[in-house]
C-alpha cells in the first residue's frame, strides 16, 4: 500500500510536474536525487538570498523530492495566499511533506472541504470560549512564571513546557499529568520528521519516529472522543466533538483526532517560537521593556490580581512589539502550494502541477518595505505605517482562506505572558544568547536562549 504522502495514495492530486516543464525559469537543480535539500537545511537564509540575488524574484529550485518555483515579494504573497481564482492547492503543497504526520489537518485541506471544517472548528474561537481560554491562560501563566525569578534558565525549554500545559488546559480541558513528557516528545518527533531528507518511515529514521508519535497521539485523542461528545466541557476539544456540520452531523472521530493533532502542535510549537523571539528581542532592547512595562502598569486587575479579558486590547505597544518579532522571526518561514491551474507571474508562465512557494521570512526583511530591516522597531506597526505598506508585506499568519485560525488565541496568550513577565521581572540575556537559530521547520534558538528574570524593585 502506498504511503499517505505519495502521489499514488492521492489520485486526486495532479500528476507530478516534469522538471522540463519549468526549464525556462532560472534556477539550480543541485545534486542528483537530493537536489539542494542539504544546502537549504544547513543555512536556509543564506541559500535563499543566494538564489534571489542570482536569479531574481522568480526562480526554480529542486529540494525535498522535486522541483519548486519560488515567488518572492508581497505581490507574490497576495497572488498565492489570497488565491482569488482558486489556483493554488494547500493540500497538494503541504501533503508531500506532512501527510504521514498531519493528514486532514486544516492546513492540508482545500476549498469547499477546508471551508466546511474551518466553520465547524471556528465555534471554539468565538468571544465566550475565548474569554474562558483567557481566564485559564492567566491563571496558568501567573502560577508558573512566579517561580522563574533569579534563576538561570533556558527560556525556550521552559516556555515550551508551559505552552504545552496551557494548550492542554485550554484545548483539551485536562492536565497532562505523567504523560506530559511523552506527549511533548511526540510533537517534537512529528515536527522534526517534517523536514527529514528521508521521506519514508524506514527503521531507525526520523520519519519512523514521527509516524509512531502520530499513532500515539491519535490514539490518545480517539480514546477521549466518546465522553467529550456527551459532556458539557467548555474546552476546545469538547466543543469540537459536539459541533455539527451544515447537515447537522458531527465530524467523524478520526477527523477530529487528526484536527486535534495538528492544532495541538501548532498551538504550542509556533507560540513557543514566537514567545522566545519576542523575549529575546526585548532582552536585547531594554528600552522597549520599559515602554511595555509602563503600558502594562496601567491595566486594571481583577480581585485576584489577574488580567481581565476586557483589558487585553489596551496592550497596544505590546501588540506592536509582538508583530515586530513575528516580522523578524516568523514561525513559519515559507509556505508551499501547488498550482492546479496554469498561471503567469513575473513574466513567466507556470504550468498546472507545479509546486510553488512564497517566502514569508524574505518578504519580512525586504529593505524597500522595511528600512533598516534587521533593526527591532515596533513602531513599524502604528496604524499609519501599516496603511502605507502593501497588505501582504507582513504575513506571519498566512492570508486568505488559510489565514491561521488561532491567530487571536496566539496574540492573547502572548499579551498575557508578557504582562506577567514584565510586571514582575527585568529580562537579562546571557552573552550571545539566541545568536544562532535553527530556521526550519519552526524556528528555535540552538542554545535554548539562556537568560535570567531579575525581580523588579
Amino acid at each position: 500500500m502506498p504511503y499517505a504522502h505519495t502521489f499514488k495514495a492521492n489520485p486526486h492530486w495532479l500528476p507530478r510536474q516534469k522538471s522540463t516543464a519549468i526549464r525556462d525559469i532560472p534556477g539550480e537543480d543541485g545534486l542528483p536525487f537530493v537536489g539542494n535539500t542539504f544546502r537549504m537545511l544547513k543555512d536556509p537564509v543564506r541559500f535563499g538570498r543566494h538564489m534571489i540575488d542570482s536569479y531574481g524574484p522568480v526562480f526554480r529550485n529542486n529540494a525535498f523530492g522535486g522541483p519548486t518555483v519560488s515567488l518572492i515579494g508581497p505581490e507574490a504573497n497576495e497572488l498565492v495566499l489570497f488565491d482569488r481564482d482558486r489556483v493554488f492547492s494547500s493540500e497538494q503543497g503541504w501533503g508531500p511533506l506532512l501527510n504521514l504526520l498531519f493528514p486532514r489537518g486544516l492546513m492540508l485541506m482545500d476549498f469547499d472541504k477546508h471551508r466546511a471544517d474551518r466553520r465547524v472548528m471556528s465555534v471554539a474561537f468565538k468571544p465566550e470560549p475565548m474569554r474562558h481560554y483567557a481566564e485559564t491562560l492567566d491563571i496558568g501563566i501567573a502560577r508558573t512564571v512566579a517561580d522563574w525569578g533569579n534563576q538561570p534558565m533556558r527560556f525556550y525549554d521552559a516556555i515550551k513546557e508551559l505552552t504545552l500545559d496551557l494548550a492542554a488546559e485550554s484545548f483539551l480541558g485536562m492536565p497532562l499529568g505523567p504523560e506530559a513528557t511523552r506527549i511533548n516528545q511526540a510533537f517534537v518527533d512529528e515536527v522534526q520528521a517534517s523536514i527529514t531528507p528521508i521521506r519514508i518511515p524506514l527503521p531507525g529514521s526520523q520519519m519512523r519516529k514521527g509516524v509512531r508519535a502520530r499513532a500515539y497521539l491519535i490514539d490518545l485523542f480517539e480514546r477521549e472522543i466518546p465522553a467529550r461528545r456527551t459532556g458539557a466541557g467548555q474546552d476546545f476539544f469538547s466543543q469540537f466533538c459536539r459541533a455539527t456540520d451544515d447537515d447537522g452531523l458531527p465530524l467523524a472521530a478520526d477527523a477530529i483526532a487528526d484536527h486535534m493533532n495538528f492544532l495541538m502542535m501548532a498551538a504550542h510549537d509556533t507560540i513557543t517560537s514566537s514567545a522566545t523571539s519576542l523575549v529575546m528581542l526585548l532582552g536585547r532592547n531594554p528600552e522597549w521593556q520599559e515602554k511595555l512595562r509602563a503600558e502594562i502598569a496601567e491595566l486594571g486587575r481583577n480581585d485576584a490580581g489577574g488580567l481581565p479579558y476586557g483589558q487585553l486590547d489596551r496592550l497596544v505597544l505590546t501588540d506592536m512589539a509582538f508583530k515586530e518579532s513575528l516580522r523578524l522571526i516568523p514561525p513559519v518561514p515559507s509556505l508551499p502550494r501547488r498550482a492546479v491551474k496554469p498561471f503567469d507571474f513575473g513574466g513567466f508562465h507556470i504550468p498546472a502541477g507545479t509546486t510553488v512557494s512564497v517566502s514569508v521570512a524574505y518578504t519580512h526583511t525586504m529593505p524597500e518595505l522595511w528600512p533598516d530591516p534587521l533593526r527591532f522597531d515596533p513602531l513599524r506597526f502604528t496604524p499609519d505605517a501599516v496603511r502605507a505598506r502593501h497588505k501582504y508585506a507582513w504575513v506571519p499568519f498566512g492570508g486568505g482562506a488559510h489565514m491561521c485560525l488561532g491567530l487571536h488565541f496566539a496574540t492573547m496568550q502572548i499579551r498575557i505572558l508578557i504582562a506577567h513577565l514584565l510586571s514582575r521581572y527585568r529580562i537579562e540575556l546571557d552573552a550571545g544568547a539566541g545568536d544562532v537559530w535553527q530556521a526550519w521547520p519552526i524556528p528555535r534558538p540552538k542554545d535554548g536562549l539562556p537568560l535570567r528574570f531579575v525581580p523588579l524593585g
Side-chain angles (χ1 to χ4, degrees):
M1 182 175 179
Y3 291 113
H5 68 304
T6 63
F7 282 77
K8 283 186 178 181
N10 297 278
H12 61 291
W13 290 2
L14 290 182
R16 187 185 295 277
Q17 185 60 268
K18 294 180 179 179
S19 59
T20 54
I22 55 173
R23 184 57 58 185
D24 63 325
I25 297 174
E28 299 175 13
D29 293 329
L31 299 171
F33 302 112
V34 298
N36 293 311
T37 300
F38 291 109
R39 290 173 66 194
M40 292 180 67
L41 289 175
K42 182 179 180 181
D43 192 339
V45 174
R46 182 178 180 182
F47 177 79
R49 292 192 181 280
H50 158 72
M51 296 296 282
I52 294 165
D53 291 345
S54 300
Y55 306 109
V58 180
F59 62 85
R60 168 177 48 82
N61 184 26
N62 182 31
F64 295 105
T68 300
V69 173
S70 292
L71 311 177
I72 306 299
E75 293 80 11
N77 295 343
E78 182 173 19
L79 172 73
V80 174
L81 300 179
F82 188 65
D83 195 18
R84 183 191 311 275
D85 299 318
R86 292 191 169 194
V87 171
F88 302 101
S89 166
S90 187
E91 177 193 350
Q92 295 183 43
W94 286 108
L97 292 172
L98 299 183
N99 252 13
L100 278 175
L101 306 163
F102 302 104
R104 291 191 294 255
L106 200 60
M107 195 167 71
L108 282 81
M109 291 182 165
D110 284 328
F111 311 130
D112 294 340
K113 176 61 176 170
H114 169 262
R115 186 171 65 251
D117 277 31
R118 186 182 178 97
R119 186 183 301 119
V120 174
M121 296 179 73
S122 67
V123 300
F125 290 102
K126 291 185 182 298
E128 195 51 43
M130 287 289 283
R131 186 180 300 276
H132 170 76
Y133 303 149
E135 293 170 357
T136 301
L137 293 171
D138 188 50
I139 294 169
I141 290 172
R143 179 179 61 235
T144 300
V145 305
D147 296 329
W148 282 359
N150 255 341
Q151 56 177 308
M153 63 189 299
R154 295 185 183 276
F155 181 75
Y156 180 88
D157 300 332
I159 196 64
K160 193 173 196 308
E161 180 179 342
L162 174 57
T163 54
L164 179 59
D165 288 342
L166 295 171
E169 291 186 46
S170 298
F171 291 115
L172 299 183
M174 65 183 197
L176 298 179
E179 282 197 281
T181 300
R182 186 178 178 188
I183 291 170
N184 190 32
Q185 187 59 49
F187 285 120
V188 169
D189 288 343
E190 284 185 315
V191 170
Q192 287 303 118
S194 69
I195 60 163
T196 182
I198 300 174
R199 305 307 301 164
I200 58 177
L202 297 174
S205 68
Q206 182 63 54
M207 184 60 79
R208 172 68 69 91
K209 288 183 181 180
V211 169
R212 286 181 170 176
R214 175 184 179 272
Y216 161 71
L217 291 166
I218 293 298
D219 178 67
L220 178 75
F221 296 132
E222 287 185 338
R223 290 199 310 266
E224 288 282 326
I225 290 174
R228 300 304 181 100
R229 289 200 193 276
T230 57
Q234 292 304 301
D235 56 275
F236 180 95
F237 192 15
S238 296
Q239 294 189 70
F240 191 27
C241 288
R242 296 194 302 266
T244 57
D245 62 19
D246 290 343
D247 298 320
L249 300 173
L251 265 66
D254 59 348
I256 291 174
D258 277 325
H259 278 307
M260 290 305 302
N261 181 39
F262 180 77
L263 177 74
M264 283 291 292
M265 178 278 294
H268 94 281
D269 267 6
T270 57
I271 292 177
T272 294
S273 176
S274 303
T276 303
S277 62
L278 177 54
V279 165
M280 180 188 74
L281 291 164
L282 290 175
R284 292 177 178 176
N285 296 273
E287 72 280 9
W288 274 99
Q289 287 189 53
E290 293 304 320
K291 291 176 182 178
L292 301 193
R293 189 173 290 115
E295 177 181 70
I296 291 162
E298 295 297 317
L299 295 180
R301 302 279 177 148
N302 59 29
D303 291 341
L307 292 168
Y309 178 65
Q311 291 284 313
L312 297 177
D313 285 342
R314 296 178 60 193
L315 295 175
V316 176
L317 289 178
T318 303
D319 271 1
M320 290 182 188
F322 182 41
K323 289 176 179 177
E324 177 70 341
S325 71
L326 290 172
R327 180 187 71 82
L328 287 164
I329 307 178
V332 183
S334 64
L335 296 167
R337 295 289 190 268
R338 199 148 178 264
V340 295
K341 302 175 185 176
F343 70 99
D344 296 290
F345 183 79
F348 295 96
H349 179 75
I350 300 168
T354 302
T355 299
V356 302
S357 72
V358 294
S359 176
V360 175
Y362 189 86
T363 306
H364 283 187
T365 56
M366 294 175 69
E368 58 268 42
L369 299 171
W370 312 96
D372 195 5
L374 300 184
R375 180 170 59 90
F376 179 71
D377 180 10
L379 295 181
R380 299 180 199 271
F381 290 93
T382 63
D384 287 345
V386 171
R387 279 193 294 269
R389 275 193 303 271
H390 194 290
K391 185 179 179 181
Y392 282 79
W394 184 80
V395 286
F397 296 107
H402 280 275
M403 177 78 79
C404 175
L405 185 62
L407 71 90
H408 295 301
F409 178 87
T411 300
M412 180 173 70
Q413 183 166 331
I414 293 294
R415 287 169 171 170
I416 295 171
L417 173 69
I418 296 301
H420 280 292
L421 284 177
L422 293 185
S423 61
R424 287 173 169 85
Y425 306 120
R426 184 174 67 253
I427 303 166
E428 292 190 358
L429 303 179
D430 286 12
D435 282 355
V436 181
W437 282 59
Q438 174 184 302
W440 285 355
I442 298 173
R444 64 177 179 85
K446 290 188 175 182
D447 61 4
L449 195 67
L451 54 66
R452 186 184 298 269
F453 290 111
V454 179
L456 299 174

